[in-house]
Amino acid sequence: MTTHFAYEATGPRLPADAMRAFGAQLLQTAGATADDAAWVAETLVDADLRGVHSHGIRLTEYYVRSIERGGLRTRYDIREIGSGPGYVAYDGDHAPGQVAARLAMRRAIAIAKVHGVGTTTVRNAGHFGAAAYWALMAAAEGCVGYCTSNMPSAIVLAYGSAEGATGNTPLAWAFPTRDTPRVVLDMACGVAAHGRVAVAGTGGQRLPDGVGADRDGRMTNDPSNVKFVYPAGGPKGYALSIVHDLLAGALSGGAPTLLKPEGGPDQLIRGSQFHLAIDVRWIVPLADFTAEMDAQVRAVNALPPAEGFTSVSMPGQLEEERKVDRLAHGIPYPPGLLAAIEPLAGRLGVAIPWQA
Amino acid sequence: MVSAFVPAAAEHVVAAAAMRAFATNVMHAAGCTRDDATLVADVLVEADLRGVFSHGVTRLTPYVGEIAGGTVDPGAEVRTVRVGPSIAIFDARKSPGPRSAKLGMEKAIELAQQGGTAFACVRDGTHFGPAAHWALLAAGAGCIGIATSNGGGRSGVLAYGSRKPALTNGPIAWAIPAKRHAPIVADMAVGVWAFGKVRVSAAAGQQLPDGVGVDADGQPTRDPNALVYLHPFAGPKGAGLGIVIETLCGILARAVPAASRGPGDPMPVGQVFAAINIAAFRPPDEFLDEVERTIDAIHALRPAEGFERVLLPGEPEWLSRERALREGIRYPKGVLGPVALTAQRLGVTPVWPAAR
């Protein structure tokens, strides 16, 4: 079994619109174009709506810092560096990752419609937020979506190492449904997202065994001492992490995590992405596929829950249900998370919605 | 990495070529064409060379039984249902699994030369051996390979938070080519342990650790004789990957996902093979060079306490293979006994000394 720890989101509920406007203003004040700022904020607040706060509005702090120290460009020229009938390779020119990812996944979907399968890669872009967002973009178009990315810091241990081997490589697969919530597996290959460890830290929680290791590669329960996280399921998570690090980094030309020139004089962020869409209609009629997906979702939901569980969910189902609830009633945030952004908002002179 | 098996002592040491000839004769005597028999023997002996004895010649017994029982039809022709620019669909019609797997992956490799990425779906397939074998076929052709199959048996792996199973313990494998080093292979089933490992504990009279699985009532058990369902590895992550496998193989490739199978339903196997052509995205030499440097960087990582050195996924199997090619395959006690009985029933003489 793996180790889980949850954080409670107990604060007052804030409307998604207000949080989107807040995030966009932070990014725009830092120098992003109005369009890009709005788009990045949309993807971050989507993660908050889904309860994935590690990839939500809290990331604005990191994005703004990246823009300010020149790691992320707000004016850029994303270029095609190679293409063929079923694929395109992009250079992201250090643009925000979400801007590159939107372009790349949309292109993969468009190719899949005429070709069956579309694949795109991106080198040299910023962090792309939650992988689920891009895979779900394909699912919304009747495609199977699959994506992964890599980033510069090696924070996940290899199986049996005392130093990091990969980033906390995310991978996502999403599938269309008809009447049931869309199915999406979005997993980091580490036991926990580093952001989640940080969120636990802001809430003053201790970590269970087997989540994090300190700078010497020794296990620790103190979130503030965590330098590395363990791979999920030991050798399996490690294998998934290295394979997806190479799929994103080596295929795009953006380099695997261990080979990225981190901290070079230019400080530029060199994240890589891999996006794949399979148009279901090329294989089976979409109505058949979604009907069978619905049947699978219902069959899994009908399973008797284990002790300590109230229901059995499909991957992504709780997040989709949370999103419906939070769109209607606002987003509650874990304690400490919003307070951590306040200094940034103060410095940039952006009004704080929860203090209004 | 996952299933590496280091035997304490070998009962028999057999050269790969002799074992291949023997296994070919067994499958031929069971009704396979000479070509099919040779292919099946290759796949099984390759697994033994890699030390994955659960998928080696020990499978001759069930394979012969499946032909005799009619669940595998050695005379069936694989039908090509459709070939699109990046998609191929085959109906295996219960022919021997390695034949349709080879056809599927070879077609994916061929289509990927144009399309960058191609997927082949195989319907109504049968057991194809280790998934790694087919992913490696793509790696040998300059592609990143993905191969997956759902299981033909009953479901045996729990959904996350469930007392009843929703997943077959089907495998998924990725393979990435290297140059001087062995290809990197992630090959895993989603169960936290293999059932075979539970049986080993039962035979040794050992209790299981917590979190391996549950009994027939869905209650956690440490008794290997009472365990009927396994937990997925890493909780929701392994379970989610299991749903990806069930969906790709069960719905896209038109078998039936485990959760949707009724008690008396036929249990068809679906398989999906993908090839991502590296040369479409960047010069292969650059890619391979980066893979090589990544492997060197991983090898150079400081090992954690209790580990001598840090290996790549797939490397333990490769080391086993190199040794077995030099010194013969070292079969652990108990592996070859049942194989000899199966062979003798078909009038084939084993190539190792009879049991004393």
Side-chain angles (χ1 to χ4, degrees):
Chain A
M1 278 303 278
T2 184
T3 322
H4 303 285
F5 58 99
Y7 41 76
E8 287 301 312
T10 51
R13 285 175 173 253
L14 299 165
D17 280 347
M19 293 309 292
R20 278 191 206 104
F22 172 64
Q25 250 190 309
L26 289 174
L27 293 163
Q28 202 182 337
T29 308
T33 64
D35 279 357
D36 286 357
W39 174 247
V40 173
E42 140 70 25
T43 66
L44 297 181
V45 174
D46 186 75
D48 282 334
L49 284 166
R50 295 165 50 82
V52 188
H53 294 292
S54 54
H55 288 67
I57 199 75
R58 68 177 280 276
L59 285 177
T60 47
E61 209 258 326
Y62 161 60
Y63 292 167
V64 167
R65 228 184 325 120
S66 302
I67 292 171
E68 287 175 343
R69 62 152 206 254
L72 209 54
R73 290 185 175 146
T74 56
R75 305 296 183 275
Y76 46 79
D77 176 21
I78 302 178
R79 289 171 299 119
E80 279 189 29
I81 50 175
S83 69
Y87 55 92
V88 180
Y90 292 102
D91 185 305
D93 196 28
H94 314 284
Q98 285 90 342
V99 173
R102 174 177 56 180
L103 179 70
M105 187 51 105
R106 280 187 180 163
R107 188 66 178 272
I109 295 164
I111 294 170
K113 301 237 158 143
V114 297
H115 223 266
V117 182
T119 315
T120 55
T121 58
V122 179
R123 71 178 190 201
N124 299 335
H127 182 261
F128 76 175
Y133 196 94
W134 316 110
L136 282 168
M137 193 179 252
E141 299 278 338
C143 294
V144 173
Y146 173 35
C147 68
T148 182
S149 77
N150 80 355
M151 287 295 287
S153 44
I155 54 169
V156 174
L157 300 169
Y159 179 65
S161 80
E163 299 174 281
T166 63
N168 204 345
T169 321
L171 66 100
W173 285 89
F175 304 98
T177 52
R178 192 179 53 194
D179 302 326
T180 56
R182 289 170 301 177
V183 172
V184 57
L185 167 69
D186 178 0
M187 60 176 277
C189 294
V191 167
H194 215 262
R196 206 171 259 238
V197 173
V199 170
T202 61
Q205 291 184 30
R206 303 274 297 165
L207 297 175
D209 284 353
V211 174
D214 63 18
R215 52 194 296 191
D216 298 320
R218 291 207 177 80
M219 196 180 75
T220 175
N221 303 104
D222 177 356
S224 60
N225 276 346
V226 170
K227 171 94 191 283
F228 305 113
V229 296
Y230 287 94
K236 298 191 187 197
Y238 166 50
L240 287 173
S241 199
I242 189 79
V243 161
H244 287 85
D245 181 32
L246 292 167
L247 196 51
L251 196 67
S252 68
T257 295
L258 283 178
L259 305 184
K260 284 187 192 292
E262 192 181 4
D266 62 8
Q267 295 288 325
L268 287 166
I269 295 177
R270 294 179 170 83
S272 313
Q273 304 172 13
F274 171 86
H275 299 273
L276 188 145
I278 309 164
D279 187 353
V280 166
R281 283 155 285 221
W282 279 80
I283 302 174
V284 288
L286 184 60
D288 291 3
F289 183 93
T290 55
E292 284 178 48
M293 279 308 289
D294 285 353
Q296 184 182 211
V297 172
R298 292 193 176 111
V300 168
N301 288 169
L303 291 169
E307 229 177 85
F309 290 81
T310 52
S311 63
V312 184
S313 298
M314 287 289 272
Q317 188 172 357
L318 292 177
E319 288 80 1
E320 290 283 300
E321 287 168 1
R322 229 180 254 138
K323 182 173 173 178
V324 171
D325 170 66
R326 290 175 173 200
L327 277 172
H329 302 111
I331 305 169
Y333 282 89
L337 189 146
L338 292 176
I341 320 175
E342 287 174 6
L344 173 73
R347 181 162 67 74
L348 295 178
V350 172
I352 294 171
W354 55 93
Q355 291 181 345
Chain B
M1 182 96 252
V2 174
S3 39
F5 188 99
V6 183
E11 185 181 30
H12 297 290
V13 180
V14 186
M19 194 49 108
R20 229 178 260 124
F22 161 80
T24 303
N25 289 339
V26 172
M27 290 311 292
H28 188 48
C32 283
T33 63
R34 202 81 203 156
D35 281 354
D36 278 356
T38 305
L39 176 62
V40 172
D42 273 351
V43 172
L44 300 182
V45 174
E46 188 62 28
D48 284 339
L49 280 167
R50 291 165 55 80
V52 188
F53 294 108
S54 57
H55 285 67
V57 294
T58 188
R59 301 284 322 182
L60 285 169
T61 303
Y63 282 4
V64 167
E66 282 157 8
I67 291 175
T71 52
V72 172
D73 178 1
E77 298 249 352
V78 179
R79 243 196 312 248
T80 304
V81 177
R82 195 155 11 99
V83 178
S86 293
I87 296 282
I89 302 166
F90 298 100
D91 183 350
R93 300 168 75 220
K94 304 206 186 319
S95 55
R99 170 140 56 92
S100 51
K102 181 164 183 276
L103 211 61
M105 188 53 104
E106 283 177 348
K107 184 52 93 174
I109 293 165
E110 180 198 320
L111 294 176
Q113 302 309 306
Q114 283 297 312
T117 302
F119 276 74
C121 295
V122 173
R123 300 174 178 165
D124 210 9
T126 61
H127 195 268
F128 68 9
H133 190 96
W134 308 109
L136 280 164
L137 187 63
C143 295
I144 295 171
I146 308 173
T148 182
S149 174
N150 64 354
R154 61 186 172 79
S155 4
V157 181
L158 299 166
Y160 178 60
S162 169
R163 281 191 287 118
K164 294 285 177 191
L167 309 165
T168 55
N169 205 7
I172 185 163
W174 287 257
I176 296 183
K179 209 154 46 183
R180 281 180 294 114
H181 291 97
I184 296 172
V185 184
D187 181 7
M188 63 193 72
V190 297
V192 67
W193 277 25
F195 278 108
K197 195 168 161 187
V198 175
R199 284 194 293 270
V200 169
S201 293
Q206 286 167 345
Q207 291 279 97
L208 303 170
D210 280 336
V212 174
V214 301
D215 63 20
D217 299 323
Q219 296 301 318
T221 182
R222 295 188 53 201
D223 174 1
N225 293 302
L227 182 142
V228 288
Y229 306 128
L230 293 167
H231 282 294
F233 82 87
K237 299 187 186 204
L241 191 60
I243 292 291
V244 170
I245 296 170
E246 295 296 334
T247 303
L248 291 176
C249 301
I251 301 184
L252 205 60
R254 305 224 99 158
V256 179
S260 303
R261 290 176 181 184
D265 286 1
M267 292 176 176
V269 171
Q271 287 148 357
V272 173
F273 305 90
I276 303 165
N277 176 24
I278 291 156
F281 295 91
R282 65 183 303 207
D285 270 352
E286 288 178 24
F287 177 93
L288 294 172
D289 179 58
E290 267 184 19
V291 172
E292 287 294 321
R293 288 194 291 134
T294 303
I295 294 172
D296 289 336
I298 297 254
H299 282 161
L301 293 176
R302 195 154 42 82
E305 256 170 68
F307 289 83
E308 255 174 56
R309 58 197 185 111
V310 184
L311 300 177
L312 273 296
E315 193 172 357
E317 291 83 355
W318 190 264
L319 296 172
S320 158
R321 185 178 189 274
E322 305 245 284
R323 180 177 175 194
L325 282 174
R326 282 195 313 268
E327 302 172 9
I329 303 168
R330 305 168 62 80
Y331 284 96
K333 196 163 161 35
V335 170
L336 291 181
V339 178
L341 289 178
T342 298
Q344 280 152 359
R345 244 177 263 134
L346 291 165
V348 178
T349 309
V351 289
W352 59 92
R356 280 153 290 175

